[in-house]
Amino acid sequence: MDVPVYSMSGKAVGNMSVDEIALGETINADLLKQAFVMYHANLRQGSARTKNRALLAYSRAKIYKQKGTGRARHGDKKSNTMRGGGHAHQKTRTREDYHQDMPKKMRRKANRNALLCKLLDNEVRVIDGLSFDTARTKDFVSFLEAIKVDRASLVALSGDPEKSKNARLSARNVEGVTICRADQLNTYEMLNNRFLVIDKAELEAWLAGPSSQTGKTGGAK
């Protein structure tokens, strides 16, 4: 598969050859869903808390007198039947664990298959030298317009903080843009955004790196 490579100004400057077989050759929807659900579940902290009536900082005074109003009897505002009152079944301080797991090689295959999905749908923008001289949001917006990215996008930057600093600072306030390290691309981030924007060298490194070890000889990272 030949993937077009663009310059920062949006002009096609060449092609990059990508082996479809190494990416799974065909879309494995079941594997992608399993990986997507796993990555999504692992984002949950499980730290949701609610307050019972004893924890609320309301007055304990009776909201109106017991008799003579024609209304139902009520105590203070902390009752769970009142708007803003305490929860009858309070979520306690016990942290809930939503963690899921998959075998390492399955995760790697899913990540590579997700990239194949984006390539087949023409939703990958490979850039020849993704870098900015200065950190300027306006320049990043113009860059996205030049490469025809008009929907939610995942921008994969170099893991070297100095090399990616200006691009990271330029992109962080742009609506609909998610930033990640190129060596940490995963199924959830790729499928959760319409476009993937990545430097050619970083994509080549990702394809040839630990993520490529999906067979029986795939070692631990």
Side-chain angles (χ1 to χ4, degrees):
M1 174 189 294
D2 288 331
V3 181
V5 179
Y6 300 92
S7 67
M8 292 288 291
S9 61
K11 295 180 180 179
V13 294
N15 291 306
M16 174 182 174
S17 180
V18 177
D19 185 5
E20 290 183 66
I21 297 178
L23 299 183
E25 193 171 8
T26 58
I27 304 302
N28 188 335
D30 293 335
L31 178 63
L32 290 177
K33 180 179 179 181
Q34 184 179 349
F36 188 94
V37 171
M38 180 203 70
Y39 282 114
H40 192 200
N42 291 349
L43 293 175
R44 299 184 66 176
Q45 297 184 24
S47 57
R49 302 288 180 268
T50 56
K51 294 182 179 181
N52 60 20
R53 62 188 302 166
L55 297 176
L56 294 176
Y58 289 160
S59 168
R60 299 183 66 179
K62 193 172 177 67
I63 58 177
Y64 50 77
K65 62 183 183 179
Q66 178 87 342
K67 294 183 179 295
T69 65
R71 301 176 65 185
R73 295 173 291 182
H74 278 297
D76 56 31
K77 290 180 63 177
K78 297 180 181 181
S79 169
N80 64 296
T81 61
M82 302 293 288
R83 180 181 177 86
H87 287 254
H89 302 285
Q90 174 206 11
K91 288 191 175 181
T92 63
R93 300 179 66 87
T94 303
R95 183 175 289 272
E96 298 178 76
D97 184 12
Y98 296 99
H99 182 78
Q100 296 185 24
D101 200 7
M102 285 175 66
K104 182 187 300 180
K105 293 169 190 175
M106 284 183 67
R107 292 199 305 267
R108 290 174 175 175
K109 286 183 178 180
N111 293 341
R112 295 173 72 83
N113 205 230
L115 177 61
L116 179 62
C117 285
K118 309 302 284 183
L119 291 171
L120 293 177
D121 291 339
N122 194 28
E123 294 175 349
V124 179
R125 298 292 184 267
V126 182
I127 310 301
D128 186 17
L130 177 53
S131 62
F132 290 84
D133 296 330
T134 58
R136 194 169 181 226
T137 302
K138 186 176 181 180
D139 291 343
F140 195 88
V141 173
S142 298
F143 161 66
L144 293 181
E145 292 175 351
I147 61 175
K148 295 181 173 55
V149 171
D150 56 357
R151 301 287 291 276
S153 59
L154 173 67
V155 180
L157 301 174
S158 170
D160 183 353
E162 287 301 319
K163 183 178 179 181
S164 62
K165 179 179 179 181
N166 288 336
R168 186 175 66 254
L169 294 176
S170 300
R172 63 181 179 175
N173 289 331
V174 180
E175 184 179 3
V177 172
T178 302
I179 308 170
C180 77
R181 285 177 44 171
D183 57 353
Q184 294 178 348
L185 279 176
N186 62 60
T187 304
Y188 177 78
E189 295 291 0
M190 282 190 275
L191 297 185
N192 203 41
N193 292 278
R194 183 64 174 271
F195 292 99
L196 169 64
V197 181
I198 186 171
D199 183 85
K200 179 182 178 183
E202 297 298 335
L203 179 57
E204 290 173 340
W206 186 80
L207 290 172
S211 69
S212 65
Q213 301 177 23
T214 57
K216 293 183 179 180
T217 59
K221 181 180 178 181

